[in-house]
């Protein structure tokens, strides 16, 4: 589904566009590209192009301080850079989910399927206009993966010896240990 979303970009150089991208992310990307070109980052502290002015340094939504976007903004037009960054985030989120599934002890084929489903699912595609959500998918997935790797193997092995399957282990052991 998401491949269809990105097909015009990958094949014809077109860009994703929506009200959020056009009104918020594109002006910020243009400003960041200008700042990267000139070396003057002072305008990133206060962005007069958004509404009556906006403190970008205090905003986590527009992703001006997300370093993976910077090379794209230097090399590409801001609209193409935003689309390329979204596509890269989808690919990275799929790889992160595949790594997470591998830590569960599943093979390469289930990991590949999980990565593809996660990265190109309706949830991810539905958030394609929210650059911050898509950009956060890979790191969020890896945060979960790193947490679950730290769970004691003895608990899971003991549950398996008692005859618990995957879902019982998940509901009775993993999920209760996931609370903050």
């Amino acid at each position: 589904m998401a491949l269809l979303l990105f097909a015009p970009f990958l094949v014809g150089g077109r860009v994703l566009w929506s009200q959020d991208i056009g009104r918020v992310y594109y002006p910020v990307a243009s400003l960041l590209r200008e700042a990267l070109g000139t070396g003057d980052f002072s305008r990133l502290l206060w962005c007069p192009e958004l509404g009556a002015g906006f403190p970008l340094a205090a905003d986590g939504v527009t992703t001006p301080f997300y370093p993976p976007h910077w090379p794209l903004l230097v090399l590409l037009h801001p609209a193409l850079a935003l689309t390329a960054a979204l596509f890269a985030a989808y690919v990275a989120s799929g790889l992160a989910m595949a790594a997470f599934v591998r830590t569960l002890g599943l093979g390469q084929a289930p990991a590949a399927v999980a990565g593809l489903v996660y990265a190109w699912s309706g949830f991810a595609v539905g958030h394609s206009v929210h650059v911050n959500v898509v950009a956060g998918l890979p790191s969020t997935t890896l945060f979960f993966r790193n947490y679950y790797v730290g769970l004691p193997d003895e608990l899971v092995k003991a549950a398996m010896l008692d005859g618990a399957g995957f879902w019982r282990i998940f509901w009775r052991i993993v999920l209760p240990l996931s609370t903050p």
Side-chain angles (χ1 to χ4, degrees), residues 15-168:
V15 297
L16 283 174
W17 202 260
S18 71
Q19 287 188 10
D20 283 353
I21 291 176
R23 291 182 183 168
V24 179
Y25 298 110
Y26 178 72
V28 170
S30 297
L31 183 64
L32 182 57
R33 180 187 173 142
E34 181 183 316
L36 288 169
T38 63
D40 179 18
F41 292 92
S42 63
R43 289 189 53 217
L44 293 179
L45 298 175
W46 184 260
C47 180
E49 288 82 2
L50 293 176
F54 194 76
L56 284 180
D59 183 48
V61 174
T62 54
T63 63
F65 300 108
Y66 186 61
H69 290 177
W70 297 355
L72 295 171
L73 285 166
V74 169
L75 298 172
L76 302 171
H77 183 274
L80 285 174
L82 281 172
T83 305
L86 282 169
F87 184 75
Y90 279 112
V91 171
S93 66
L95 293 172
M97 178 53 76
F100 176 65
V101 169
R102 291 289 295 180
T103 62
L104 297 175
L106 300 174
Q108 290 179 348
V113 169
L116 288 170
V117 168
Y118 183 73
W120 308 115
S121 69
F123 172 81
V125 172
H127 283 84
S128 63
V129 297
H130 301 113
V131 177
N132 59 320
V133 173
V134 176
L137 285 175
S139 56
T140 303
T141 305
L142 289 177
F143 290 148
F144 282 114
R145 177 227 172 257
N146 291 340
Y147 176 79
Y148 289 121
V149 166
L151 291 178
D153 286 339
E154 294 79 21
L155 288 174
V156 174
K157 288 178 183 176
M160 290 172 72
L161 285 174
D162 288 341
F166 176 82
W167 290 109
R168 180 161 289 184

